[in-house]
Amino acid sequence: MMTVTRLDVADARHLIEGAAARAATIGVPMCIAVTDESGQLVAFERMDGGKVTSITIAIDKAFTASAARKATHEYGEASQPGAPAYGIASAIGGRLMVIGGGLPVTVDGVVVGGIGVSSGTPAQDRDVAQTGIDFFLGQRSDGAA
Amino acid sequence: MMTVTRLDVADARHLIEGAAARAATIGVPMCIAVTDESGQLVAFERMDGGKVTSITIAIDKAFTASAARKATHEYGEASQPGAPAYGIASAIGGRLMVIGGGLPVTVDGVVVGGIGVSSGTPAQDRDVAQTGIDFFLGQRSDGAA
Amino acid sequence: MMTVTRLDVADARHLIEGAAARAATIGVPMCIAVTDESGQLVAFERMDGGKVTSITIAIDKAFTASAARKATHEYGEASQPGAPAYGIASAIGGRLMVIGGGLPVTVDGVVVGGIGVSSGTPAQDRDVAQTGIDFFLGQRSDGAA
Amino acid sequence: MMTVTRLDVADARHLIEGAAARAATIGVPMCIAVTDESGQLVAFERMDGGKVTSITIAIDKAFTASAARKATHEYGEASQPGAPAYGIASAIGGRLMVIGGGLPVTVDGVVVGGIGVSSGTPAQDRDVAQTGIDFFLGQRSDGAA
């Protein structure tokens, strides 16, 4: 038997809250998804004005980042023509995302879930996802203090 | 040209808050999804302990209820053997849900979205979905008062 | 954060070993799948002569039983015409199985995974799945002794 | 009428055993799949810590290698921009894998199945798959001796 640690819904809300605040600051309404360590959806919000295509993309970015324990932009680099993971973008029915905006959420060195953001440029999506993680980790520190 | 009225993310949060409170009261952690009038996901939460199978089922119940403007349990009756909509359960790749727990959200006589709930019995799912709608409508009245 | 307990690959081998021995005894080569508590595949074997259609069916029975925490034959009863879950068989792209042969694996009152068996009659599949669970639990007792 | 020769489940276990031993040696828990000459799954194991995304990827690498009778890394070369098989990565719903880690299993000059490995780098995956084949072939020689 194995024991695993994963995000709960309260954690997911913090991740979304931090990400949404950053998205509002840069003026780009986003779709934000949070998955557990197995890649299964825990929470999702489409901010008013978030793109419909981004619903699935955000969910799949979070799925990829958590279930593969790797940031989606890293897959972007690894899957360029000539690079080792070339062609992985169409794996798992196209759910394996190689575009920036999906980040694993790591606590105490273990991946406990993922966050996926979509509607802006990949750089904006990644920035918003990272800000969500920073806010979440800050809340945890506060709670632990 | 047309103008449509639909739920925004603040509305979706009220729907989920009301539904989750009811789910907690009856002691059944649920997956709760809210879609807009086009059937597209606005917000989702899997309460701690909600079933993994219910992620998709809740989203598809909300999709069905909003996009078809019909409660999923009504499709259940209409799709029994010999009834007019027999066989519709496998339509749209199986996304057309005929099990109770998906309800359209109606404001001023117009369907503006849907809520889908899954993890309990269909009767529990439906009860939780309806409580979410009642809470949402109550918040609107309070705001208007 | 949440902590969950799930089957590891050694557990999965015991489940398959016990199920395969029973399948051999009754003379029906089977496909046998084991999933973790999130419904994700841990191990699979197609015994020599197991049916090709049963590969997916066994995997999906295990997925359903673990992720919905419910035996697939119980869904069979609940999804008959007129029953509350009528129509659920086509949910999740048809992955929600309502045919006997998928059982949750429960340890200390918690569902830690599932086993799915296919190639015989549903009654045979269920018998083989249950024998796999009994063997697994027996191995655990021996280990604990 | 035709007669085909293919891996049986005992062969599949040897392939997985040899591959898993190598994966343990290099310290990367893997998903390992074995398919028959028709590309159909015979056996699968997710080592403790293997990635969830790699479940499907390993199965699809084995499927590709056996059913196309070609190593997946060869497809990687053949599907680069400008190369003859450019675009094949998205064929068959994305199941045609062009990333290293899928190898045909050949006995007496005939492809009798395939092995697919995922969770490491493509080079690690390929190394682990090859070690599985070497171990399997060694067992055959021993048995024949």
Side-chain angles (χ1 to χ4, degrees), chain A residues 10 12 28 31 33 36 40 53 56 59 61 70 79 81 88 101-102 107 110 113 118 126 132 137 142-143:
Chain A
V28 183
C31 290
D36 64 25
Q40 305 285 12
T53 43
T56 300
I59 291 172
K61 283 181 180 174
K70 196 181 186 83
S79 65
I88 205 169
V107 172
V110 176
S118 179
R126 181 176 163 187
L137 294 176
D142 293 351

Side-chain angles (χ1 to χ4, degrees), chain B residues 65-116:
Chain B
S66 57
R69 300 192 286 269
K70 194 180 187 84
T72 53
H73 66 268
E74 296 181 88
Y75 271 118
E77 294 159 20
S79 65
Q80 293 295 320
Y86 175 67
I88 204 169
S90 50
I92 316 176
R95 293 199 68 196
L96 199 303
M97 298 298 295
V98 305
I99 304 155
L103 295 175
V105 178
T106 303
V107 172
D108 298 334
V110 175
V111 173
V112 294
I115 181 170

Side-chain angles (χ1 to χ4, degrees), chain B residues 48-53 56-57 76 79-81 86 89-90 93-94 97-99 122, chain C residues 2 37-38 63-64 67-69 75 81-82 84-88 90-93 96:
Chain B
D48 298 340
K51 298 177 182 174
V52 165
T53 43
T56 302
I57 292 174
S79 65
Q80 293 295 320
Y86 175 67
S90 50
M97 298 298 295
V98 305
I99 304 155
Chain C
M2 302 172 63
E37 104 301 336
S38 289
F63 161 73
T64 299
R69 301 193 285 268
Y75 273 119
Y86 174 67
I88 205 169
S90 48
I92 314 178
L96 199 303

